[in-house]
Amino acid sequence: AQSVTQPDIHITVSEGASLELRCNYSYGATPYLFWYVQSPGQGLQLLLKYFSGDTLVQGIKGFEAEFKRSQSSFNLRKPSVHWSDAAEYFCAAGGAFGNEKLTFGTGTRLTIIP
Amino acid sequence: ETGVTQTPRHLVMGMTNKKSLKCEQHLGHNAMYWYKQSAKKPLELMFVYNFKEQTENNSVPSRFSPECPNSSHLFLHLHTLQPEDSALYLCASSQDELLTGELFFGEGSRLTVL
């Protein structure tokens, strides 16, 4: 069965420090991959997506993610976090064929400390 | 502002009540979705509509009844709910049902069933 795993439920990072959020997927083929962010009281907003091509993708708000086929991973990174980055982050994957729906991970809650 | 508006933002209802959640998108999209977000669980896809036709019912109990009168509006009618149905219900839209682009989410309707 298709699945997306975010092994870290909660991460705390100091403001200005670097960030890496982990995501692993299990799919029969290379899926489409997404990272979404959900601020408190808000819906989900797309940060970035990977369909094919360059394995390092740039997103909004200074985020990037790297697709590693050998590790079935799509980790999200940011070199220097800001207090406004505190939110919940969801990795999602979907089949590259037809209308396969997105499978979401359980999310990683990011706390920023001064 | 994502272009997807959900009302009400908060709803408290008893198990015998009937209520409805409303979603409206101003993006000209053709596909609309209902997701359920519960604590510590992945987002659960409930229903998908593409060009007003229901294309997915993810084994949702019949006490949840969706309605899509046109491509811009989506409703979720609620009847005789259970306390475990308390959750954040997210509406989303996309250009079409094929997984070639992003989902745009509303801010959600927080439902509490007493």
Side-chain angles (χ1 to χ4, degrees), chain A residues 32 36 38 41-43 51 101, chain B residues 9 37 97 99-100 106-107:
Chain A
Y32 294 160
Y36 283 84
Q38 184 178 31
Q42 304 293 315
F51 284 177
K101 302 301 183 290
Chain B
R9 294 292 309 279
Q37 185 177 30
E97 191 182 5
L99 197 64
T100 55
E107 294 179 328

Side-chain angles (χ1 to χ4, degrees), chain B residues 26-68:
Chain B
H26 307 277
L27 302 169
H29 289 166
N30 298 306
M32 296 188 77
Y33 310 74
W34 279 117
Y35 281 88
K36 177 182 179 183
Q37 185 177 30
S38 305
K40 298 177 181 168
K41 294 177 67 176
L43 263 68
E44 299 173 54
L45 178 64
M46 301 175 71
F47 301 103
V48 181
Y49 279 82
N50 200 40
F51 292 92
K52 302 189 301 178
E53 299 297 320
Q54 186 180 125
T55 57
E56 179 124 1
N57 177 336
N58 200 20
S59 303
V60 180
S62 60
R63 57 185 183 270
F64 294 92
S65 175
E67 179 189 1
C68 188

Side-chain angles (χ1 to χ4, degrees), chain A residues 38 42-44, chain B residues 4-11 13 21-23 33-38 43-47 60-61 63-64 76-78 81-92 105-113:
Chain A
Q38 184 178 31
Q42 304 293 315
L44 279 71
Chain B
V4 180
T5 304
Q6 291 187 242
T7 55
R9 294 292 309 279
H10 300 273
L11 178 63
M13 59 187 290
L21 306 181
K22 178 183 176 182
C23 177
Y33 310 74
W34 279 117
Y35 281 88
K36 177 182 179 183
Q37 185 177 30
S38 305
L43 263 68
E44 299 173 54
L45 178 64
M46 301 175 71
F47 301 103
V60 180
R63 57 185 183 270
F64 294 92
L76 188 61
H77 303 300
L78 315 170
L81 295 190
Q82 304 298 311
E84 60 265 29
D85 297 323
S86 298
L88 182 67
Y89 289 85
L90 291 166
C91 174
F105 285 85
E107 294 179 328
S109 293
R110 172 73 61 186
L111 173 66
T112 301
V113 181

